[in-house]
Amino acid sequence: MLDAWLDTVTLSRLQFALTAIFHMLWPVLTTGMGIYLVIVEALWLKTRNITYYHHARFWTKLYLLNFGIGVATGLPMAFQFGLNWAPFSEAVGDLFGTLLGFEGTMAFMLEASFLGIMVFGWERVPPLVHFVATICVAIGANLSTFWILSANSWLQTPAGGMFTNGKFIVQDYFQAIGNPFTLNSFLHMFLATLETALFVIGGISAWYLLKKRDTEFFSRSFKLVLVALIAVAPLQIFLGHLSAEQVYHYQPTKLAAMEALWETVPAHTPADWSILALPSNKLEKNTWELKVPGVLSYLLELKSTLDAPIQGLKEWSPNDRPKMVGMVYYSFRIMIAIGTFFAALMGLTVWRWWRGKLAPELINENKWLLLSWLFAGPLGYIAVECGWIVRCVGRQPWIVYGELRTVESASDLPPGVILFSLSGLMLMYAIFFVMTLYFGKKIIQKGPDLTLPVPRMVVPSDSAQHIPDQRPAETGQF
Amino acid sequence: MQPLEPLQHFLPQVWFFILGLFLFLYVLLDGFDLGVGILSLTAQGEKRRSILMTSLGNVWDANETWLVLMGGSLFGAFPLAYATILHALYLPLVLMVVGLILRAVSFEFRENAENKMIWNITFGVGSFLAALGQGFALGTVFEGIKVDELGHFVGGTWDWLTWHSVLVALTLIQGYVLIGSTYLILKTTGELQKNHYRTATIATWTTLVGAIFITVTTPILWDHARDLLFTPPLIYIFALIPLLGLALIVGLFRSLKLQQEAAPLVYTFLIFSLSFIGLGFLIFPKIIPPSVTIYQAAAAPSSLVFMLTFVGFLIPIVLGYNIYNYFVFRGKIVTESH
């Protein structure tokens, strides 16, 4: 048993999975929050209502905390392909490396360079320049999402060239970048980061409202979040549906694992959908399941019977299908449950608003509703992680679906060396996770600074004068 | 000669140059960053450490991005080199990444923490580890990486650790401390500035000793370097580089003695540039020294052209807004009392 865990491929996979899962926690918030910050700053510039300025300053604090840790934990992601997956890097480098290179040049650089002005530049650059910086940071983060999703989608539906002697030769870059999965996957992830950030902001606002602290201030952010979610939450369910349909068409083994479907469902028959099941890899069946008749046919084709068969896992030899069926199956269901809950909570809250129950003086009478928002705050993270587990564990045993196997792609490193880096990284990530929660809590408990004056740059004065470097001046020079 | 042949030579050379530029900018910019971090371990008192960290607050992540940029471009332009080099340097690069992570989180956590001591230490230690990992990587590049005829790594896990690479690593750390000190001379005033005139002077001496050592031992120890160095026309260039280097070091000592503010940083930049050019000549056209050339490791010409189209026009933009960023935050770090 222990030997199975100590082989190079398993350890490299484990290291990749754990670093990816942990890293995701930070950028998933900042990517969505960047857009929120653009909206708040636009409202500030348009209305000149100082409360929006205070909103921008307050949420930027949380943004910055998460951004820094996101950059830090992302570094191993950038290097891991070469460190642990050298044969893979060499085989697909012409394309995959190009896409990751674009992520660095176009996206990450834009974000990281303008962050300085966005965070420290309020007093040093004109309002419009600051606004442009905020927009660039948001664009940079979302461009990152695009390039990462394009690269990952290519692993799922490799297009734009062919493998010759184990090396991928690109024939058409635009076809590879715009492979069948890219657009839907990007939009699904784009909305996922936005929805996660909106529910985090909504959840934090709900906490203040429950505590009756700064009610006026936080009922504003609460409503901003709500307005955005009216569009985002239902659209996300729709895009999720489109993505699942694509999996059905392009990755039959993954769909079979997502549904824990062992036997093929023939064409022109209704397919049942199971809510819960206990899949057993050994027996090649579900030892127990709770099914709703005919629902899967509706989910996939909006019809009572199917036009084409859905292939069950037994169609492939055990070596050609995902092994962790239960993990894929439950991750998928958890994601769906959270997405549905989000849409329902949004709908309910909008209804209360429409009935006039969310006026600042009444808002904290909706105790159960605010508690639900507090509960919803961290759920977006879980949904995103589950989605990625479905996406990447469901792709196994392939690293490039149908073309290149994961076992053939790992660097030949001594297991002890990987165990060393793996345990080091895990220890650090676990500490950072706890510290982010701790410092995030401190920022929230401290609350917004409503006495912060309008930045000097808004009221043009003797601006030709040299402004000394005056960042968070916490100490005296001597 | 086939019609594509000039292109197949030209494109890898262009990408070698671009990667060199990224690496150079990284070493210069994150170099002073890391140097300030290492110096913070010796800073007396919380106030001084605060100033040190404030001087980096708005630039550290932009500086670090050049490394991410270089990693991504190496992956895209020379996949074989990316795979082999990272595989061969697993442990030093993990060390570097761990160091950079520690450093980056220290910024955010320290900002919010009441007990800043622990994050001060992780910041300094992280900077040191990152520089150490980079130094070992550089040392290994001098020594060469063992590969088979396909260019795949065949050496051992600890190949990178030799007495020579230890000395290269220590020299690089000294170089970072030097550039960090001269940066702080520019950004600070008073006692703190005086202190960094001192650290800069010490670091100039230690870096000089290390540099002389590397210059002398490289041709003695490594055949491939010796063959390259003592063949005209390179021998003239290599004769020129140490001479110019000595002249710059004399200039640096002078400007430190005269307590000039910007000149020490400029001299240090020039010294770094010169060493970098020397290293470039020593390596070109190899990308996995001593045996694999850029032509063998390059991606397909279509990939190189495609990347060049996009990255090529972005480089001036990226450089432009980086310069703007430094311009916005120019001047000394001062406090409210000023």
Side-chain angles (χ1 to χ4, degrees):
Chain A
M1 181 64 201
L2 199 65
D3 284 353
W5 276 101
L6 287 179
D7 79 89
T8 301
V9 180
T10 313
L11 284 169
S12 284
R13 277 186 70 188
L14 202 62
Q15 177 165 305
F16 194 89
L18 289 173
T19 44
I21 282 172
F22 266 106
H23 166 61
M24 178 69 69
L25 294 171
W26 290 281
V28 81
L29 179 73
T30 52
T31 308
M33 202 184 245
I35 296 175
Y36 181 81
L37 291 176
V38 170
I39 294 170
V40 172
E41 193 169 343
L43 286 170
W44 151 240
L45 291 179
K46 193 165 175 344
T47 64
R48 293 288 180 199
N49 182 343
I50 194 166
T51 184
Y52 289 118
Y53 172 66
H54 290 150
H55 272 287
R57 294 301 295 258
F58 174 66
W59 297 107
T60 299
K61 277 189 203 162
L62 277 179
Y63 182 96
L64 188 62
L65 174 68
N66 281 277
F67 184 86
I69 321 302
V71 174
T73 55
L75 278 170
M77 303 306 300
F79 288 98
Q80 223 167 159
F81 295 106
L83 291 174
N84 291 81
W85 305 97
F88 162 80
S89 301
E90 202 192 321
V92 303
D94 280 20
L95 178 77
F96 200 81
T98 306
L99 300 187
L100 290 190
F102 284 172
E103 198 256 338
T105 2
M106 293 184 196
F108 187 63
M109 194 79 205
L110 197 66
E111 197 180 358
S113 304
F114 277 108
L115 189 77
I117 294 175
M118 183 182 112
V119 175
F120 303 115
W122 287 103
E123 299 285 342
R124 303 184 69 87
V125 296
L128 205 62
V129 174
H130 190 277
F131 187 49
V132 169
T134 310
I135 291 175
C136 286
V137 168
I139 290 178
N142 285 285
L143 262 181
S144 273
T145 310
F146 176 80
W147 288 115
I148 290 167
L149 265 293
S150 170
N152 185 277
S153 294
W154 182 84
L155 298 179
Q156 317 278 346
T157 48
M162 58 168 89
F163 278 85
T164 314
N165 297 327
K167 190 170 161 54
F168 185 76
I169 311 290
V170 198
Q171 277 149 356
D172 184 339
Y173 281 92
F174 294 98
Q175 216 176 28
I177 291 169
N179 65 78
F181 264 25
T182 301
L183 184 63
N184 273 350
S185 305
F186 164 66
L187 291 174
H188 194 41
M189 188 64 199
F190 165 75
L191 290 178
T193 60
L194 194 54
E195 205 175 359
T196 302
L198 289 172
F199 272 99
V200 168
I201 296 167
I204 292 170
S205 304
W207 180 82
Y208 281 100
L209 295 172
L210 280 165
K211 290 239 158 194
K212 300 183 186 168
R213 270 185 66 181
D214 299 310
T215 314
E216 186 86 28
F217 186 85
F218 284 103
S219 64
R220 201 179 285 265
S221 52
F222 189 70
K223 282 171 188 169
L224 269 178
V225 161
L226 205 54
V227 170
L229 278 174
I230 293 173
V232 171
L235 197 59
Q236 179 65 316
I237 291 177
F238 176 67
L239 271 159
H241 165 73
L242 289 185
S243 293
E245 217 172 47
Q246 278 195 323
V247 171
Y248 171 47
H249 290 300
Y250 291 99
Q251 295 187 322
T253 53
K254 185 189 282 181
L255 187 89
M258 278 157 70
E259 295 299 338
L261 209 62
W262 299 92
E263 310 290 341
T264 297
V265 181
H268 309 298
T269 44
D272 302 340
W273 192 68
S274 64
I275 299 176
L276 295 173
L278 280 181
S280 160
N281 232 350
K282 218 165 158 188
L283 303 172
E284 300 201 317
K285 64 170 196 161
N286 298 333
T287 48
W288 173 86
E289 59 190 337
L290 180 65
K291 282 194 190 176
V292 196
V295 169
L296 187 57
S297 344
Y298 274 106
L299 284 178
L300 292 174
E301 299 194 332
L302 300 172
K303 280 190 242 154
S304 58
T305 61
L306 295 163
D307 289 343
I310 309 177
Q311 290 171 290
L313 285 165
K314 281 188 181 172
E315 293 280 336
W316 298 275
S317 88
N319 276 336
D320 290 336
R321 63 194 193 208
K323 290 210 166 41
M324 298 161 135
V325 178
M327 191 185 205
V328 176
Y329 178 87
Y330 277 102
S331 300
F332 184 52
R333 267 148 189 76
I334 292 169
M335 176 178 69
I336 293 177
I338 292 172
T340 316
F341 172 72
F342 276 177
L345 183 60
M346 178 279 299
L348 193 67
T349 318
V350 169
W351 179 67
R352 299 287 291 172
W353 193 6
W354 189 56
R355 297 283 308 271
K357 309 275 189 198
L358 296 191
E361 59 278 10
L362 295 175
I363 197 164
N364 56 20
E365 285 169 21
N366 300 282
K367 198 153 190 184
W368 50 271
L369 192 69
L370 292 175
L371 280 171
S372 308
W373 275 84
L374 201 56
F375 172 72
L379 290 184
Y381 293 100
I382 298 173
V384 169
E385 300 287 8
C386 285
W388 277 96
I389 288 171
V390 172
R391 192 175 171 90
C392 290
V393 178
R395 189 181 69 226
Q396 300 304 323
W398 305 100
I399 199 163
V400 182
Y401 193 74
E403 300 281 359
L404 185 65
R405 282 175 189 275
T406 310
V407 284
E408 294 162 355
S409 306
S411 303
D412 181 23
L413 293 161
V417 169
I418 310 175
L419 204 58
F420 167 75
S421 60
L422 173 64
S423 30
L425 287 170
M426 273 320 99
L427 182 70
M428 283 167 59
Y429 281 21
I431 293 173
F432 299 161
F433 179 66
V434 175
M435 291 323 280
T436 309
L437 289 177
Y438 172 74
F439 288 119
K441 196 186 98 188
K442 272 187 78 169
I443 292 173
I444 294 167
Q445 274 174 343
K446 207 171 162 200
D449 180 4
L450 300 178
T451 59
L452 212 61
V454 174
R456 252 188 314 161
M457 298 304 283
V458 175
V459 202
S461 54
D462 46 345
S463 54
Q465 194 193 337
H466 173 78
I467 310 159
D469 195 332
Q470 211 167 31
R471 275 158 288 155
E474 41 185 333
T475 54
Q477 181 99 21
F478 50 100
Chain B
M1 191 192 258
Q2 286 182 348
L4 265 179
E5 216 161 284
L7 201 62
Q8 270 164 357
H9 258 75
F10 178 63
L11 283 169
Q13 288 172 6
V14 169
W15 272 102
F16 185 82
F17 176 77
I18 292 176
L19 281 168
L21 179 73
F22 287 171
L23 184 63
F24 177 61
L25 287 169
Y26 173 76
V27 170
L28 270 194
L29 298 174
D30 216 30
F32 77 69
D33 240 315
L34 291 168
V36 172
I38 296 166
L39 282 167
S40 78
L41 286 172
T42 66
Q44 293 150 358
E46 193 52 39
K47 284 182 177 174
R48 288 188 177 191
R49 269 190 294 270
S50 280
I51 294 167
L52 259 49
M53 289 188 76
T54 305
S55 77
L56 303 177
N58 65 308
V59 292
W60 72 266
D61 50 2
N63 290 347
E64 213 157 87
T65 311
W66 293 105
L67 184 69
V68 177
L69 221 57
M70 206 207 48
S73 306
L74 183 66
F75 193 176
F78 303 102
L80 177 67
Y82 176 78
T84 299
I85 294 173
L86 267 68
H87 184 180
L89 294 175
Y90 191 90
L91 285 172
L93 292 183
V94 166
L95 195 67
M96 173 189 84
V97 167
V98 166
L100 291 175
I101 292 176
L102 284 178
R103 223 167 71 90
V105 299
S106 305
F107 270 107
E108 309 309 330
F109 289 159
R110 186 184 174 281
E111 183 71 28
N112 294 294
E114 262 136 43
N115 180 5
K116 298 189 188 298
M117 204 54 210
I118 176 164
W119 303 114
N120 292 331
I121 293 168
T122 51
F123 177 67
V125 170
S127 306
F128 181 80
L129 289 180
L132 191 66
Q134 289 170 9
F136 282 130
L138 182 66
T140 310
V141 168
F142 277 111
E143 291 179 35
I145 292 169
K146 273 199 207 102
V147 294
D148 62 14
E149 64 279 7
L150 290 173
H152 296 148
F153 179 60
V154 289
T157 316
W158 298 92
D159 279 11
W160 52 273
L161 187 62
T162 61
W163 64 270
H164 190 259
S165 73
V166 170
L167 286 166
V168 173
L170 290 178
T171 307
L172 186 71
I173 291 171
Q174 292 309 314
Y176 283 167
V177 169
L178 171 61
I179 201 167
S181 299
T182 51
Y183 173 74
L184 286 172
I185 289 172
L186 183 70
K187 294 297 275 186
T188 59
T189 54
E191 273 302 310
L192 192 56
Q193 190 189 34
K194 274 204 193 107
N195 186 36
H196 289 297
Y197 277 113
R198 270 196 300 275
T199 57
T201 311
I202 298 167
T204 310
W205 279 113
T206 48
T207 313
L208 179 63
V209 171
I212 289 172
F213 166 81
I214 293 171
T215 314
V216 172
T217 52
T218 300
I220 296 174
L221 285 172
W222 321 121
D223 298 344
H224 52 94
R226 185 169 51 237
D227 296 346
L228 199 68
L229 285 171
F230 294 110
T231 322
L234 279 187
I235 187 164
Y236 304 117
I237 296 171
F238 282 113
L240 205 61
I241 286 177
L243 290 178
L244 268 174
L246 280 177
L248 286 171
I249 283 180
V250 171
L252 176 60
F253 274 128
R254 228 178 83 87
S255 71
L256 287 173
K257 204 163 188 186
L258 295 174
Q259 309 233 322
Q260 291 168 323
E261 296 206 319
L265 186 61
V266 174
Y267 277 118
T268 317
F269 269 17
L270 290 174
I271 290 167
F272 266 65
S273 314
L274 196 68
S275 325
F276 203 82
I277 291 168
L279 185 65
F281 275 119
L282 195 61
I283 289 176
F284 183 83
K286 306 283 162 41
I287 190 111
I288 314 173
S291 40
V292 183
T293 65
I294 52 172
Y295 314 111
Q296 289 163 278
S302 64
S303 280
L304 297 179
V305 171
F306 185 71
M307 277 177 74
L308 197 60
T309 328
F310 286 92
V311 176
F313 88 93
L314 276 168
I315 292 173
I317 299 175
V318 168
L319 278 174
Y321 64 64
N322 264 283
I323 292 168
Y324 177 70
N325 196 16
Y326 278 94
F327 176 74
V328 165
F329 295 101
R330 68 199 178 280
K332 301 273 182 193
I333 304 157
V334 294
T335 52
E336 283 148 352
S337 57
H338 271 69

